[in-house]
Amino acid sequence: MSNNGTLAVLLSSPSGGGKSTIIRHILKTFPEFWHSVSCTTRAPRYNEVNGREYHFVTVSEFERMVQADELAEFAEVHGDWYGTPLLPLRKAQGEGKKIIFDLDVDGAAKMKQRWQSILTIYIMPPSREELERRLRKRQSESEDVIQKRLKRYDREQQEANKYDYRIINDSLECAIEEVLMYIRVWSKVTDFTQEV
């Protein structure tokens, strides 16, 4: 699969780090971007819509997609599976869209292997304490899930050093501007003709 000169941006952050809000702003500001919506076997949160935040699928459907080679990458996180569907990705490329991915550190590592010219940005909360405050403020997850996310945060911080850029999201407005600045710079200096 060739990227056909497609600009691709990949954002990661711990849950509660702010990447979803940043992505929504980018999509609103730049209609030429297309958001790659992952599929997952986890249950939707109360405010999530199927096809918007994720494509929510059963475990058996996810296994079928893996067997049929319909995913660009997939990984298990907190006991649930997440993956990037290939078909809509290829369609967006064919339409000349710029692509933005929202992946965890495991999915990002796999996508980077397939798409070496991709821009990777890791969004960090100001501190572990602030991350915990944000997770609790959402009131959408159990105490057990919050503790799992905090434990994973410690490992993800080590993986953050493998990204092209790291941004501390202590001001959402500043974080958005930083992401946009890196995208503009990357689009001017990168060769997008590599194979995916």
Side-chain angles (χ1 to χ4, degrees), residues 6-157:
T6 303
L7 170 63
V9 180
L10 189 158
L11 267 62
S12 298
S13 78
S15 182
K19 68 181 178 300
S20 297
T21 304
I22 292 171
I23 287 172
R24 281 195 297 271
H25 182 86
I26 292 171
L27 294 173
K28 184 177 179 181
T29 307
F30 299 101
E32 66 270 25
F33 269 98
W34 173 81
H35 180 213
S36 174
V37 178
S38 298
C39 56
T40 182
T41 61
R42 80 158 170 78
R45 297 187 187 117
Y46 73 94
N47 60 342
E48 291 179 326
V49 176
N50 188 36
R52 186 181 68 187
E53 283 80 15
Y54 289 98
H55 298 292
F56 296 98
V57 300
T58 63
V59 173
S60 60
E61 173 62 9
F62 194 94
E63 290 172 347
R64 187 203 63 76
M65 295 173 78
V66 171
Q67 291 298 317
D69 198 26
E70 294 179 5
L71 300 174
E73 59 76 32
F74 59 92
E76 185 180 12
V77 183
H78 304 305
D80 295 306
W81 288 95
Y82 295 80
T84 301
L86 270 172
L87 187 61
L89 177 56
R90 288 176 174 146
K91 183 176 183 290
Q93 284 185 289
E95 295 171 354
K97 293 284 189 179
K98 297 175 181 177
I99 298 171
I100 189 161
F101 294 96
D102 171 0
L103 299 175
D104 77 300
V105 294
D106 296 322
K110 292 177 181 178
M111 187 62 76
K112 185 74 173 174
Q113 290 175 353
R114 292 189 66 147
W115 201 325
Q116 295 178 6
S117 63
I118 197 168
L119 168 62
T120 57
I121 302 173
Y122 190 84
I123 311 295
M124 298 182 289
S127 66
R128 192 176 191 275
E129 291 72 25
E130 173 60 15
L131 177 65
E132 181 174 358
R133 187 192 69 78
R134 292 178 186 177
L135 289 172
R136 294 188 183 284
K137 184 179 178 183
R138 290 198 310 205
Q139 297 183 332
S140 61
E141 290 150 334
S142 67
E143 181 63 27
D144 181 56
V145 171
I146 289 173
Q147 291 306 317
K148 284 181 181 178
R149 294 194 184 283
L150 290 173
K151 185 176 180 181
R152 183 174 174 84
Y153 165 79
D154 298 330
R155 182 178 77 82
E156 288 188 354
Q157 290 305 100

